Every structure is written in structure tokens, then in C-alpha cells.
């Protein structure tokens, strides 16, 4: 009974749409929405999967991430790589912002048994970098799809109750404060990466935002043409921060490899 919104591509972005298509047919449910949210750099690399029936192309990654949290009522995170870590940190940066205290947006990290080590590594990194309070904003459920569905159903019921109580829209999360730094595009280059503040002497939501930008730069340096050319010309990006955060990031990236 739920509409599906993903990044519109193949793999884990197509899977939920495919599963829902079959389930919706069994439920005799019509006029279903399979929403894909993308941006020009991604859509140039991979076309939308054929199940998408409403495609939204945002101008950049930051607007795309904001669209997910404005449009969605609950977030499921499947195992991925550096880009998945970037998205989790973006969401934690928003949910840990003081202005968003009390906002209901259930987030569940889930996958098959083989994903357990991936989520353990991400959970360890988040606890070390942002503290145990950050983990209050998500649950990890491995190898139990039925439990995830029940948890998300209950979570969306809580979202509905909150929207009614706060007189907020069902179709767009107006109550969520997305600060300007979260909206502005981050252009990964040597100067921008070196200027990131990966230290704990700042609010945790600000640290989460800069950690997200660091992972965004790592993604760009591996797959996006301008960043790859900059690295070819001037060498690898350099980032600095608290030693234990840097060590944890090394471990996390090594596990992704």
C-alpha cells in the first residue's frame, strides 16, 4: 500500500519498484507512483529503469538529496558504497540539527545477511565521529524484510500523526529545516576538500555536513570527469581532521574497497 521513490537507476534503486509492482498487482492497487529523483550527472551515466512512471531531474546532488527527505515519509538504506555513506551523513546532519528536533522521519538500514558487515562498519564510523546520540535516528535490521516492512508501516503512521498534529502537508515535509549550507552545491576540488572542517570543535550537525561533503568529493574523484581530471593534474585530494576520525574513515573506505 505504499508508493515508492528511489534514485531511479538499476540495482537497489530498481528492486523496491519491482517488488512493489508485483505486490500492488496482488493488492489490486492501481494508479501507483514509482518516483525517480535524479540529477544531470547521474542521468548522463545511467538511464532510468523502466518501472519509473514519474521522473524528477534536480539541478544538483544537494537538491536531489533534499527532494528525497521532503518527499519521503520514511527512508530505507540498502548496502552500497561511498555514495550511500554520503546520503546517510546528509540525513543525519539534518536530523541532528536543533531546529529539526522532534521531526519524525524513520530511517532503517537494511539488507541481506551479507550486508551485516557493511552496516556494522558504517555504524562504528558514525558512533566514533558523531557520538552515540546520532544512532538514535536510525535502526539496523539485517535479513528480515518482513520486520522492516512492519517497522516502516508503524513509522509512517507516526509521521501521519505528527503531520496532522502540526498541520503540516502530507505530500511535502515543510517542517523540516534544510539550512542553506545543505542546499548549496559542493564542487569537489583541491581547495574545497582541503577547507573541510572534520573536527569535533563545532556542532555535530555541521560536522556531519562536512563529512558528507568529504564523501561526495571521494565519489567525484573516482567517477566524475572534472574531479578525475583535477586529480590527474594536481594529485589526490587532501583532507585533514581529528586523527581518530581520519583513521575511522580510512577503515571505512578500505572496507568499501
Amino acid at each position: 500500500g505504499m508508493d515508492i521513490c528511489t534514485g531511479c537507476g538499476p540495482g537497489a534503486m530498481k528492486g523496491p519498484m519491482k517488488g512493489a509492482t508485483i505486490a500492488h498487482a496482488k493488492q489490486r492497487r492501481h494508479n501507483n507512483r514509482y518516483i525517480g529523483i535524479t540529477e544531470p550527472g547521474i542521468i548522463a551515466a545511467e538511464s532510468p529503469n523502466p518501472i519509473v512512471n514519474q521522473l524528477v531531474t534536480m539541478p544538483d546532488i544537494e537538491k536531489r538529496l533534499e527532494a528525497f527527505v521532503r518527499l519521503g515519509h520514511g527512508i530505507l538504506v540498502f548496502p552500497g558504497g561511498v555514495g550511500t555513506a554520503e546520503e546517510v551523513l546528509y540525513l543525519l546532519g539534518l536530523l541532528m540539527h536543533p531546529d529539526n528536533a522532534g521531526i519524525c522521519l524513520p530511517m532503517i538500514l537494511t539488507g541481506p545477511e551479507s550486508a551485516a558487515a557493511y552496516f556494522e562498519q558504517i555504524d562504528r564510523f558514525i558512533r566514533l565521529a558523531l557520538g552515540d546520540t546520532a544512532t538514535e535516528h536510525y535502526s539496523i535490521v539485517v535479513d528480515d524484510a518482513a520486520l522492516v516492512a512492519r517497522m516502516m508501516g508503524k513509522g509512517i503512521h507516526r509521521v501521519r500523526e505528527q503531520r496532522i498534529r502540526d498541520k503540516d502537508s502530507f505530500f511535502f515535509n515543510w517542517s523540516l529545516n534544510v539550512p542553506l549550507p545543505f542546499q548549496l552545491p559542493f564542487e569537489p576540488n583541491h581547495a574545497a576538500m582541503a577547507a573541510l572542517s572534520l573536527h569535533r570543535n563545532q556542532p555535530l550537525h555541521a560536522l556531519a555536513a562536512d563529512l558528507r561533503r568529504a564523501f561526495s568529493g571521494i565519489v567525484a574523484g573516482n567517477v566524475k570527469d572534472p574531479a578525475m581530471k583535477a586529480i590527474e593534474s594536481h594529485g589526490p585530494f587532501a583532507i585533514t581532521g581529528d586523527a581518530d576520525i581520519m583513521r575511522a574513515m580510512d577503515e571505512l573506505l578500505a572496507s568499501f574497497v
Side-chain angles (χ1 to χ4, degrees):
M2 299 181 191
D3 291 316
I4 306 295
C5 176
T6 76
C8 91
M13 291 178 279
K14 180 181 178 182
M17 293 184 172
K18 187 173 182 180
T21 300
I22 296 166
H24 288 158
K26 291 179 178 179
Q27 295 161 3
R28 305 291 191 271
R29 190 173 183 270
H30 305 291
N31 301 318
N32 308 298
R33 292 193 295 171
Y34 308 106
I35 304 166
I37 302 178
T38 187
E39 57 94 32
I42 292 173
I43 209 161
E46 56 188 27
S47 59
N49 73 68
I51 303 173
V52 172
N53 60 13
Q54 293 184 353
L55 182 67
V56 184
T57 305
M58 305 302 291
D60 51 58
I61 287 288
E62 283 72 16
K63 309 299 186 300
R64 178 181 184 241
L65 291 173
E66 181 178 349
F68 282 124
V69 295
R70 294 286 194 194
L71 199 63
H73 300 91
I75 308 290
L76 291 179
V77 180
F78 295 113
V82 181
T84 302
E86 175 190 354
E87 290 160 352
V88 170
L89 288 165
Y90 174 88
L91 189 49
L92 288 176
L94 289 180
L95 295 177
M96 294 176 74
H97 195 285
D99 290 351
N100 294 324
I103 290 284
C104 185
L105 188 66
M107 173 166 55
I108 303 173
L109 283 56
T110 186
E113 185 62 40
S114 59
Y118 175 84
F119 288 131
E120 284 171 11
Q121 196 79 28
I122 284 191
D123 183 63
R124 192 179 308 125
F125 176 77
I126 290 170
R127 287 176 187 275
L128 191 147
L130 302 175
D132 289 343
T133 55
T135 65
E136 297 171 4
H137 297 288
Y138 62 84
S139 304
I140 299 177
V141 180
V142 174
D143 202 29
D144 194 340
L147 175 61
V148 172
R150 289 194 296 271
M151 289 173 62
M152 186 53 71
K154 291 177 181 176
I156 289 177
H157 181 70
R158 291 196 301 271
V159 172
R160 178 182 173 83
E161 289 179 334
Q162 183 185 54
R163 302 279 178 97
I164 291 172
R165 189 170 59 248
D166 297 343
K167 298 181 173 61
D168 199 5
S169 163
F170 287 148
F171 59 83
F172 193 86
N173 193 350
W174 290 105
S175 298
L176 189 73
N177 176 35
V178 181
L180 186 61
F182 283 77
Q183 300 179 35
L184 297 175
F186 176 68
E187 295 294 337
N189 55 47
H190 286 77
M193 292 291 281
L196 293 174
S197 178
L198 307 180
H199 304 274
R200 291 197 189 85
N201 58 350
Q202 59 180 321
L204 287 177
H205 65 270
L207 173 58
D210 262 3
L211 285 169
R212 197 283 298 180
R213 294 183 187 103
F215 281 105
S216 182
I218 293 166
V219 172
N222 281 278
V223 301
K224 294 195 174 179
D225 199 48
M228 291 169 68
K229 286 181 177 176
I231 289 171
E232 285 177 13
S233 301
H234 307 292
F237 292 144
I239 56 175
T240 57
D242 290 351
D244 54 349
I245 294 178
M246 294 291 95
R247 279 195 297 271
M249 187 178 288
D250 271 345
E251 291 175 13
L252 186 64
L253 294 172
S255 72
F256 290 165
V257 171

